[in-house]
Amino acid sequence: MKGWKSIFFTVLSAFFVWLFLRRVDFPSLLATWRALPWQTPLLFALLMAPQYALRALRWGVLLRPFKPAIPFRSLWNFSLIGFMISYLLPGRLGEVVRPVLLAEKEGIKKSQAIATIVNERLLDLLTVLVLLAGYLLVAAGAPSPLLGRLRAAALWLLPLVFSAFLLIFLANHPRVFPWTERLLRGGARLLPRRWREPAAGFLLHFIRALRLDLGAAALAAVSLLSLLHWGLIAFSYWLLLDAFAVNVAPAQVIPFLAVIFVSAAVPTPGMAGSLDLVASYALTGLYGLDGRTAAAFTLLFHFLVLAVPIALGLAALWREGLSFRVLGRLRGDDELPAMR
């Protein structure tokens, strides 16, 4: 990521944080936190480890076409390192760092490892949308204005996700792939001569790797792991909401989960500001929380969501014998031939 983009997202994050904090009543915030049962935030934090374990297991299944048996230790460590970096720096840099580092250690193509992250994100989006659509289909009563907007978003995004998978399938179809190859090689001609062939090779491997060529059993495993992962996240959200006296059924947390998922996509460092504003708005619009309680929940929630993976990521960095110097190497590695 270029320097000006980092500056832009950092300034944007600071603006969002200012918008959120200017309405926070800090004395009432502390009083709300003191009244909480301490066991619930602790359980919320403990439940994050199995969430990342499920994500690591799913990543291993997505990587099977390129290397059948990647050790769980590598999947776990590099998943956590990637999320830690994404939370500490702007631009979601960890989404590139974790597949590149894993590919270097496990001896697979970087283009293939990066493609699994794209598929991972599409599967996350699909799972959250399916959960949201299922909830909206069975939800009783008149929807709130926010739920109505979520329904419209789900109706628009679900076909878009399926279209993305269809486009990947068509681009890799034996009859279409020669056209795909011609298109990619033609686009590579716009680059300097020394980069044309490496860029074309990288993109061809990347498109091929997006196929999800897993087989029925592995696809079922990926689907189950996705549902377990997001179901466990929704359950942990419900536990924390219950501690703040938000008396809702576990399924009623799904709209809040969908809103948080969208806010986390904004590439501000640590989701600062974007998550806070959106979470506070959702808590008020979905559950009728007053501003003080919504702010107290949001700040505690945000702290826990960041603190646990950052701590686990630092431990994973140490276990892999790495340091933050590796970021300097990756960010300075502009040569396309290195991204084979």
Side-chain angles (χ1 to χ4, degrees), residues 70-262:
I70 294 178
F72 178 78
R73 174 191 171 99
S74 291
L75 297 166
W76 168 259
N77 284 344
F78 290 117
S79 291
L80 290 168
I81 290 169
F83 278 95
M84 174 194 66
I85 290 168
S86 287
Y87 290 154
L88 290 175
L89 300 173
R92 309 292 294 181
L93 183 64
E95 301 288 46
V96 176
V97 170
R98 66 182 173 114
V100 168
L101 291 179
L102 182 90
E104 289 178 349
K105 181 177 180 181
E106 298 299 330
I108 61 177
K109 288 183 171 64
K110 294 173 184 176
S111 53
Q112 294 170 336
I114 292 170
T116 62
I117 303 303
V118 175
N119 277 328
E120 188 182 78
R121 285 307 178 193
L122 285 172
L123 287 164
D124 284 337
L125 179 56
L126 179 61
T127 305
V128 171
L129 286 173
V130 167
L131 289 172
L132 178 61
Y135 170 78
L136 292 172
L137 282 173
V138 301
S144 66
L146 179 54
L147 269 181
R149 285 190 280 274
L150 285 174
R151 176 177 290 156
L155 289 173
W156 179 73
L157 284 171
L158 264 174
L160 198 62
V161 176
F162 283 118
S163 298
F165 282 117
L166 178 62
L167 186 61
I168 291 167
F169 171 78
L170 290 174
N172 283 289
H173 192 277
R175 293 183 180 179
V176 180
F177 190 74
W179 293 91
T180 304
E181 184 173 4
R182 265 182 236 161
L183 179 65
L184 293 176
R185 291 192 181 281
R189 287 180 192 151
L190 299 174
L191 297 171
R193 186 178 295 276
R194 68 192 178 101
W195 283 356
R196 289 175 190 173
E197 191 55 36
F202 174 86
L203 291 172
L204 286 169
H205 284 301
F206 177 76
I207 294 295
R208 280 297 213 188
L210 287 173
R211 283 180 301 177
L212 277 179
D213 190 13
L214 298 173
L219 278 174
V222 164
S223 302
L224 179 60
L225 288 168
S226 296
L227 286 170
L228 287 173
H229 171 69
W230 287 103
L232 186 57
I233 291 175
F235 177 71
S236 69
Y237 287 10
W238 174 76
L239 282 175
L240 196 59
L241 284 168
D242 188 65
F244 282 82
V246 181
N247 299 313
V248 295
Q252 290 177 276
V253 177
I254 291 174
F256 180 68
L257 173 72
V259 170
I260 295 300
F261 178 82
V262 172

